[in-house]
Amino acid sequence: MLRAAHGDRHAAAELASLLTERQLTGLDPLPARPPALLRAYRQEVRALPDSTRFLLLLAAADQHPVATQAYLRAVTAARLDTRHLDAAEAAGLAHATADGIVFRDPWTRIAVYETVPPSDRREVHQLLARVLRGEGEEPRRAWHQGAAALGPSRRLAARLRVAADLARATREHALACALLERAAALAPDPRERTHLLARAATDAWHSGDTDRARRLAAATPDDALSGLLALRAGNATDAFDALLTAAARCAVQGASGATDELRGSPAGAENTRAARRHAADGGPAARGPGGELPEAPVRATLGVHGTGGELPEAPVRARPGVHGTGGELPVVEVGLGFSDVSPVVDVGVVGELPVVEVGLGFSDVSPVVDVGVVVELPVVEVGLGFSDVSSAAGVGAVGELPVVEVGLGLSDVSPVAEVGLGLSDESPVVGAGAVGELSLADGGPALSPDSPVDTDRTATGSRRPDRDRPTAEARLARGAAAVHLLARVTEAAVYTGDLRRCREAVAVADRLGIVPPGTLGGLAAAFEGRYEDARDLLEAAAGRCGPGGDPTLLIHAAIAALLLGDHARASAAALRAAASARARGETVTVPQAMEFRAYAEFWTGRSRAAEADTLDALRQAYATGQDNGACHLQAALAMFAALTGDEDVCRERAESARSYALARGLGLPAALALFALAFLDLGAGRFAASAARLRALAGFGPGHGHRAIRHIATPLYVEAAVRSGDTRVARAAHAAYDRWARTVRSADDLALSARCHALLASGPEAVEHYRTALDLHAAGTRDFERARTELLFGGALRRLRHRTEARDRLHSALEAFEHFGSAPCAAQARAELRALGEPALPARGQADLATRLTAQQLMVARMAAEGATNREIAARLALSPRTIDHHLRGVFARLGIRSRIELVRLIGEG
């Protein structure tokens, strides 16, 4: 709500009163703005003088929705008198600083921009575009040119699309989204608009603006987009179906019409490599009219129309040999004989050839000719580079137009081909477009010098590629996209807990000839009982956890490492995934990486630091509209609360997670929440209740339970079952756990299996199993579980009257639990020491607040000491005010104080 209202709480309150039932539950996007608020602001703006409004308009256009930092340059270039801003400052609407204009609030800026006539808005955008000439400013310059457009323009839409690619390359996804939205508004072709909106939705998603992504995705029939959005904020089963459908479609489209190069033919690959080397060396393949290229006729005549009316028809000649998006593409030379006062020529093509719109009358700072393509070809942007060389070639002169490079033979998945006109040996080589985030390599149909070009065939005589016959680059990109979508399919299966459907996804991949991600294959193999295969596949996936990699691959490496019991590697992969996502500007991926890091931190006992990180990830998940991820994080926080013995928080977070998860088929957080409650019961000595919860977890199917959580909980269940006197089911559960542990050879899993053997044994046999477990723990990373094994071992030694070793084991366990902040386990260790007749030492560091309070209590205490109210603390921690009140009472009781004033003093001293 605050994001939609630009942080204005009053506007957010007004928006709340306008929400429908579906918007209140998050099923529909929020409304864009509160109209009543804007009406009041517009009245204030209209009261200002025209000169003042123009300066404010210039600043508003410079700041939103794309910040361009060009206001001061524009004021200087237009020689505007800034003294007119005094009226705005007197009215309290804005004030001037050394960096530009600062508005009273975002709504004032919006009101300024929307109150003036459209002609004034176009004027300021044109002014800002003229002054944006610096390095790296092309995307923002293109934005202002697009904002100044009067109506649909294929040329401007193409330019905005190229600018969006540049913005995306610099990780500015929000800017790329704005550029593509504007390009869609200017594109005359409905199919092109749909494609642009889909790409804009993807960029909005990566920037963290989920509501915007959903609004844009609603205008596109894109299974991949709808599946991704459902995965993070909808029904995970629907997400699985949509993503698997999209992956299959990508694979089918990518597999059709395979070429020699795609099949790995050395000859085909070598030909393409030779063409690329020749182009890079500045050879004829990279030249324009200066190159010695043979002419070839084209079977078409053009009806040429200039700005002043119809011009005579002229022949078109094709010069093969220009390096385009891949291979060699034709050079189309249009003989027009028009004067330099005709800035724009529309070339209407007879038959089904593309319609070409050539714009020439640009300023000296934007020497670009855009070629818009109809039929099934994408828009191709051709850079001319108006220089002395190009002028000598006849640019803007009476006679022939310059050579225009047209990227023929591109499929509709190659959205942009950016072509530099080859007017000299140093002319740039063609760049390739992109599909989503997957770059297309060079490669495409070559053109024979002696072969004619018709409307349906390339110069090689083959049919022109269309949707059913994509280029090699498109097929490779679609294959990579299919693998990426299968990775998302894996995540959907993990979230639902329906691991049986992993087999379905693997079967689809096998049928289509795609190698599925290792995590997907590993899950399917584990479900089928092929543990050795599962181990090998998961090991390969977990190995891809180096720094700087793709965030999705790193998250999958973390998941694979968790399944293998390698928590150190899982934590490292998750942290690297979050760092890589931040570096790429994909803020939406950060909380997802932290979801899986929480497991590793829980089992290694780092609860305090992990809880703080998880709370931060929870806020990010809610802020970016990822309610499914927030549910998972709530369940993780319930685990941390169970470990520290914070019963109220554990129950509240677990109930919140389970109620949300069960409504959306999210088996993973539902199972995790139940596991947290079982752990809480075990720590409090409620062994029968803990065993009952874990038995229920084992019985729940997809959407309500999860096989992986059931597997992780097996050692806990064996302990609860043994202590409650029911070991029959526990023995069967342990047998499966032991087989997996022996297969993956994880030291921690083997240690836990040995501990289960000890619990299920008796007398001296149990002692040997405990010793084996502790030896294995020494080679592992789960220090918290090692402490629990020592606690259980100490209790067993006490009952066998091995008092000296029992005392040592119990003191060691007690010290570890105090270090981890696990009050319930520490209480159990003290109880065992008292039963041994040994006085337990008091908790060390009594003067340290961090050891006297739980992690949650410490955060609440600090916020309260800073002056935050209970309601404000509840909002920040995503808890209820009632729970915060309970926490504060617990803080006061533990610290022996009665007021917030004393709390402030203690926090300050600490």
Side-chain angles (χ1 to χ4, degrees):
M1 290 291 295
L2 286 173
R3 186 188 188 106
H6 302 282
D8 188 321
R9 293 182 179 273
H10 295 293
E14 183 181 338
L15 275 174
S17 66
L18 303 175
L19 298 185
T20 65
E21 184 65 28
R22 289 179 60 83
Q23 288 170 335
L24 283 169
T25 54
L27 295 174
D28 284 345
L30 297 173
R33 60 190 55 180
L37 184 71
L38 275 177
R39 282 197 294 271
Y41 277 56
R42 285 171 180 164
Q43 292 176 0
E44 294 182 88
V45 172
R46 290 191 185 99
L48 297 173
D50 291 345
S51 54
T52 304
R53 285 205 305 269
F54 187 83
L55 285 168
L56 293 178
L57 173 62
L58 185 62
D62 180 55
Q63 294 177 20
H64 188 78
V66 175
T68 55
Q69 291 84 42
Y71 170 78
L72 294 177
R73 282 180 281 171
V75 167
T76 302
R79 300 180 180 180
L80 300 176
D81 187 352
T82 56
R83 289 175 295 180
H84 296 297
L85 287 171
D86 293 345
E89 293 191 12
L93 298 180
H95 65 276
T97 68
D99 297 324
I101 300 298
V102 177
F103 288 94
R104 178 179 59 189
D105 52 46
W107 296 105
T108 301
R109 183 193 64 233
I110 295 172
V112 166
Y113 186 81
E114 295 184 352
T115 301
V116 299
S119 58
D120 288 352
R121 289 201 291 269
R122 289 194 296 271
E123 182 180 350
V124 297
H125 282 298
Q126 289 167 353
L127 174 58
L128 290 166
R130 286 199 298 271
V131 299
L132 284 165
R133 302 183 182 183
E135 183 179 356
E137 291 186 327
E138 175 57 29
R140 288 166 172 79
R141 184 169 184 270
W143 160 257
H144 286 296
Q145 289 177 330
L150 282 169
S153 168
R154 186 176 289 106
R155 176 183 60 81
L156 281 175
R159 181 161 197 173
L160 288 165
R161 185 166 55 182
V162 173
D165 291 338
L166 294 175
R168 191 180 302 107
T170 57
R171 317 305 186 196
E172 296 182 276
H173 293 285
L175 174 57
C177 175
L179 290 165
L180 289 169
E181 274 195 86
R182 186 58 182 161
L186 296 176
D189 182 4
R191 192 171 63 178
E192 178 69 8
R193 284 198 298 272
T194 300
H195 175 70
L196 291 169
L197 288 174
R199 296 183 66 193
T202 303
D203 282 309
W205 167 257
H206 285 303
S207 71
D209 195 344
T210 311
D211 262 338
R212 190 177 189 182
R214 292 170 68 188
R215 281 196 295 268
L216 294 168
T220 67
D222 193 316
D223 287 324
L225 269 177
S226 61
L228 179 61
L229 292 170
L231 176 64
R232 302 301 295 164
N235 187 287
T237 301
D238 295 342
F240 181 96
D241 294 336
L243 290 166
L244 188 58
T245 299
R249 181 179 295 116
C250 275
V252 169
Q253 291 174 339
S256 60
T259 61
D260 288 340
E261 182 178 357
L262 194 60
R263 295 191 187 103
S265 166
E270 184 56 35
N271 288 341
T272 303
R273 286 194 291 270
R276 292 173 187 163
R277 286 196 298 269
H278 197 45
D281 294 337
R287 298 181 184 179
E292 298 179 0
L293 305 173
E295 295 185 0
V298 174
R299 296 177 181 174
T301 57
L302 308 181
V304 182
H305 303 273
T307 55
E310 293 194 2
L311 296 177
E313 293 185 350
V316 178
R317 298 190 301 278
R319 295 175 178 237
V322 177
H323 189 71
T325 57
E328 292 183 346
L329 303 178
V331 174
V332 178
E333 186 173 3
V334 183
L336 297 175
F338 73 99
S339 68
D340 57 357
V341 298
S342 300
V344 178
V345 176
D346 295 330
V347 181
V349 183
V350 177
E352 295 182 343
L353 284 175
V355 174
V356 181
E357 177 184 70
V358 182
L360 292 178
F362 295 95
S363 64
D364 56 350
V365 294
S366 50
V368 175
V369 168
D370 296 325
V371 179
V373 181
V374 189
V375 193
E376 294 181 356
L377 295 180
V379 173
V380 179
E381 177 167 313
V382 182
L384 288 177
F386 288 138
S387 63
D388 294 340
V389 177
S390 61
S391 296
V395 175
V398 176
E400 293 188 346
L401 277 174
V403 174
V404 179
E405 295 178 22
V406 182
L408 297 177
L410 296 175
S411 71
D412 60 343
V413 299
S414 299
V416 175
E418 183 177 310
V419 183
L421 183 66
L423 295 175
S424 65
D425 290 349
E426 293 78 24
S427 58
V429 181
V430 178
V435 179
E437 299 173 59
L438 302 170
S439 298
L440 295 181
D442 289 337
L447 198 66
S448 167
D450 302 321
S451 301
V453 176
D454 63 23
T455 61
D456 292 319
R457 295 184 179 271
T458 64
T460 60
S462 61
R463 299 292 298 180
R464 180 168 50 82
D466 54 20
R467 284 186 172 184
D468 296 325
R469 298 192 57 80
T471 60
E473 304 86 356
R475 287 190 295 275
L476 289 172
R478 282 172 166 168
V483 173
H484 180 80
L485 289 169
L486 281 175
R488 299 296 190 183
V489 166
T490 309
E491 294 168 24
V494 168
Y495 278 117
T496 60
D498 192 354
L499 302 185
R500 291 174 298 181
R501 302 193 75 180
C502 289
R503 293 188 300 184
E504 177 186 344
V506 170
V508 170
D510 289 343
R511 189 166 64 249
L512 297 171
I514 304 172
V515 178
T519 314
L520 175 60
L523 285 171
F527 180 81
E528 294 170 356
R530 296 184 289 109
Y531 286 175
E532 290 80 6
D533 293 341
R535 177 199 61 210
D536 295 342
L537 289 166
L538 292 173
E539 276 288 354
R544 301 187 183 96
C545 61
D550 178 78
T552 299
L553 290 179
L554 288 168
I555 290 172
H556 279 248
I559 295 172
L562 284 171
L563 293 170
L564 291 169
D566 191 343
H567 296 87
R569 186 158 52 166
S571 180
L575 284 173
R576 286 168 179 165
S580 177
R582 291 188 189 99
R584 294 166 180 243
E586 299 176 11
T587 56
V588 73
T589 309
V590 175
Q592 185 186 8
M594 302 308 293
E595 292 173 40
F596 294 99
R597 186 196 176 208
Y599 291 90
E601 299 302 290
F602 175 80
W603 290 119
T604 50
R606 295 188 287 268
S607 60
R608 286 195 176 90
E611 185 176 22
D613 290 341
T614 306
L615 274 169
D616 183 59
L618 177 66
R619 286 190 286 271
Q620 292 182 56
Y622 279 133
T624 53
Q626 301 183 78
D627 290 352
N628 289 359
C631 175
H632 193 190
L633 290 163
Q634 285 276 23
L637 287 167
M639 282 200 319
F640 292 129
L643 187 146
T644 57
D646 203 334
E647 188 159 337
D648 286 345
V649 171
C650 178
R651 293 188 185 283
E652 181 174 342
R653 291 201 184 279
E655 179 58 33
S656 173
R658 275 190 66 79
S659 61
Y660 179 93
L662 295 178
R664 289 163 179 79
L666 300 173
L668 179 59
L672 190 59
L674 194 61
F675 172 83
L677 293 173
F679 192 93
L680 184 71
D681 287 335
L682 187 68
R686 298 185 290 267
F687 304 121
S690 179
R693 290 188 192 278
L694 294 172
R695 277 196 300 272
L697 174 61
F700 287 149
H704 293 75
H706 201 285
R707 288 177 63 91
I709 300 299
R710 185 176 72 187
H711 169 81
I712 290 171
T714 298
L716 196 71
Y717 174 64
V718 170
E719 181 181 347
V722 167
R723 291 199 173 196
S724 61
D726 181 10
T727 61
R728 183 180 57 83
V729 180
R731 291 182 186 278
H734 172 245
Y737 185 91
D738 184 67
R739 182 189 165 203
W740 172 257
R742 293 182 184 281
T743 302
V744 300
R745 297 187 293 273
S746 162
D748 287 313
D749 285 339
L750 287 169
L752 291 173
S753 182
R755 189 175 85 189
C756 290
H757 275 300
L759 286 166
L760 293 167
S762 60
E765 182 186 356
V767 171
E768 291 306 313
H769 284 305
Y770 276 124
R771 295 193 192 283
T772 301
L774 287 173
D775 289 341
L776 289 165
H777 274 307
T781 59
R782 296 171 69 168
D783 294 334
F784 181 75
E785 284 300 325
R786 175 191 172 90
R788 285 187 53 76
T789 300
E790 283 195 306
L791 171 63
L792 293 170
F793 189 20
L797 290 169
R798 177 185 63 79
R799 288 186 291 275
L800 292 171
R801 300 185 184 280
H802 298 173
R803 297 175 60 83
T804 301
E805 186 177 1
R807 182 174 58 250
D808 292 341
R809 295 295 182 189
L810 291 171
H811 276 301
S812 176
L814 175 60
E815 185 176 359
F817 292 138
E818 287 183 337
H819 172 74
F820 295 138
S822 179
C825 293
Q828 288 180 12
R830 288 195 184 91
E832 287 287 353
L833 283 168
R834 284 193 298 271
L836 192 62
E838 182 78 12
L841 296 175
R844 59 186 176 85
Q846 289 291 332
D848 185 357
L849 291 178
T851 60
R852 298 167 66 184
L853 304 176
T854 68
Q856 192 84 262
Q857 286 174 332
L858 187 59
M859 280 186 279
V860 170
R862 285 173 175 165
M863 293 179 191
E866 292 169 359
T869 66
N870 286 9
R871 190 170 294 279
E872 290 169 341
I873 297 172
R876 291 169 65 181
L877 297 183
L879 292 169
S880 69
R882 178 182 58 80
T883 302
I884 300 302
D885 180 66
H886 165 78
H887 272 311
L888 280 176
R889 282 189 271 111
V891 168
F892 288 177
R894 290 196 180 199
L895 299 182
I897 59 177
R898 296 184 177 181
S899 69
R900 292 195 179 213
I901 295 175
E902 293 179 86
L903 179 63
V904 171
R905 177 178 57 78
L906 283 175
I907 294 290
E909 290 174 356

